[in-house]
């Protein structure tokens, strides 16, 4: 779908997706519909191996995201961060995406509230809005509080009506999604203790987890 002047609207949702679950997918789908996005790209992050619960390879995480979004346009997968073998800074990902888009295309970076509160720790965070708008997804478990520098940024850049986002970049809006209090951590823990995660992940993802014996405690 093209918007004013043929500009396209591309949303991006980065995450470890370890594994992808209904919280990610419902959020992505609702944002895509709310904003009439041409594409909503899920971008799995390269991740340093430091977690304590069993987790899986980048290749498995990518395979599961692909299964989750197959036949679910405009959701799709963008594997660019996994094509490098070290973690990418979001600013680099945004710049590489921007290089492929027309100047007036809108790029919407979708982040959960918890991730948004950590924004000032991101590499070159003050430049992020030069490349995209930021859509903040409210999560039911949002316990974090925005630091002062973010409150200043919000005062300068947030728009009360998300539908009023204008131009290719530079603004922040908040959206509510159907609250789904599920996390990948919880899913890994359930699997590690031999419990079912049915209905927390798409059936195709569950089938992949089972077929590859992922997240099971090794014994
Ligand atoms: P983990 O439990 O391993 O930290 P996670 O479930 O939070 O993982 P991530 O892959 O880290 O998942 O999240 C990617 C993005 O999706 C983040 O912006 C995060 O805030 C958002 N997100 C994750 N779970 C939900 C949910 N249940 N509802 C809304 N947004 C979510």
């Amino acid at each position: 779908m093209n918007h004013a002047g043929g500009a396209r609207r591309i949303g991006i949702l980065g995450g470890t997706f370890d594994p992808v679950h209904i919280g990610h997918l419902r959020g992505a789908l609702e944002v895509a519909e709310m904003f009439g996005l041409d594409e909503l790209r899920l971008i799995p992050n390269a991740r340093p191996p430091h977690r304590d619960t069993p987790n899986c390879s980048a290749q498995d995480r990518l395979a599961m995201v692909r299964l989750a979004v197959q036949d679910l346009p405009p959701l799709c997968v963008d594997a660019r961060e996994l094509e490098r073998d070290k973690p990418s800074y979001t600013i680099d990902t945004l710049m590489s995406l921007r290089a492929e888009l027309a100047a007036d295309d809108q790029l919407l970076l979708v982040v959960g509230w918890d991730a948004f509160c950590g924004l000032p720790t991101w590499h070159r965070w003050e430049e992020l809005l030069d490349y995209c708008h930021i859509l903040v997804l409210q999560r039911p478990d949002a316990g974090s509080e925005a630091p002062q520098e973010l409150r200043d940024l919000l005062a300068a850049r947030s728009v009360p009506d998300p539908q009023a986002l204008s131009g290719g970049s530079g603004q922040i809006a908040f959206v509510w999604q159907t609250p789904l209090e599920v996390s990948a951590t919880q899913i890994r823990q359930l699997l590690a203790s031999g419990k079912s995660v049915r209905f927390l992940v798409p059936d195709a993802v569950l089938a992949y987890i089972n077929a590859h014996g992922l997240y099971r405690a090794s014994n």
Side-chain angles (χ1 to χ4, degrees):
M1 176 186 333
N2 281 346
H3 298 266
R8 294 178 354 119
R9 280 188 148 172
I10 314 287
I12 60 175
L13 176 65
T16 46
F17 303 119
D18 188 18
V20 64
H21 56 67
I22 57 168
H24 304 129
L25 294 166
R26 219 24 247 182
L29 193 57
E30 290 183 13
V31 165
E33 289 187 331
M34 199 179 306
F35 292 91
L37 298 185
D38 297 285
E39 283 176 27
L40 185 303
R41 301 187 189 191
L42 279 76
I43 307 190
N45 306 149
R47 178 209 51 194
H50 62 70
R51 308 259 188 126
D52 28 2
T53 47
N55 54 33
C56 64
S57 67
Q59 190 197 339
D60 285 329
R61 292 185 291 119
L62 176 61
M64 289 188 282
V65 180
R66 285 202 204 286
L67 286 168
V69 302
Q70 67 186 356
D71 309 320
L72 203 59
L75 271 54
C76 58
V77 185
D78 185 318
R80 76 186 61 215
E81 293 196 4
L82 298 180
E83 283 153 11
R84 310 176 67 223
D85 53 3
K86 56 178 183 163
S88 306
Y89 292 118
T90 299
I91 188 83
D92 296 328
T93 301
L94 289 171
M95 288 169 76
S96 87
L97 283 163
R98 261 288 159 220
E100 297 166 10
L101 300 176
D104 57 350
D105 285 344
Q106 277 189 342
L107 198 49
L108 306 181
L109 175 67
V110 182
V111 294
W113 170 253
D114 54 330
F116 180 72
C117 287
L119 207 70
T121 64
W122 294 15
H123 184 56
R124 292 166 59 189
W125 73 279
E126 282 157 308
E127 293 167 58
L128 296 170
L129 284 170
D130 294 342
Y131 298 94
C132 64
H133 293 303
I134 297 180
L135 275 186
V136 186
L137 280 185
Q138 302 285 36
R139 281 178 78 159
D141 50 349
S144 325
E145 229 185 272
Q148 186 59 45
E149 50 208 325
L150 267 191
R151 279 186 261 148
D152 294 342
L153 183 75
L154 284 171
R157 301 295 194 98
S158 65
V159 293
D161 175 7
Q163 299 298 344
L165 284 177
S166 62
S169 60
Q171 298 173 326
I172 304 172
F174 288 83
V175 287
W176 280 95
Q177 71 167 102
T178 303
L180 290 167
E181 197 167 351
V182 49
S183 70
T185 303
Q186 174 201 11
I187 290 169
R188 291 192 302 274
Q189 286 167 350
L190 287 170
L191 287 164
S193 58
K195 302 231 173 59
S196 171
V197 297
R198 184 114 199 258
F199 309 122
L200 296 177
V201 300
D203 285 346
V205 171
L206 182 57
Y208 187 97
I209 289 172
N210 289 337
H212 296 258
L214 302 181
Y215 306 111
R216 301 286 176 199
S218 47
N219 45 30

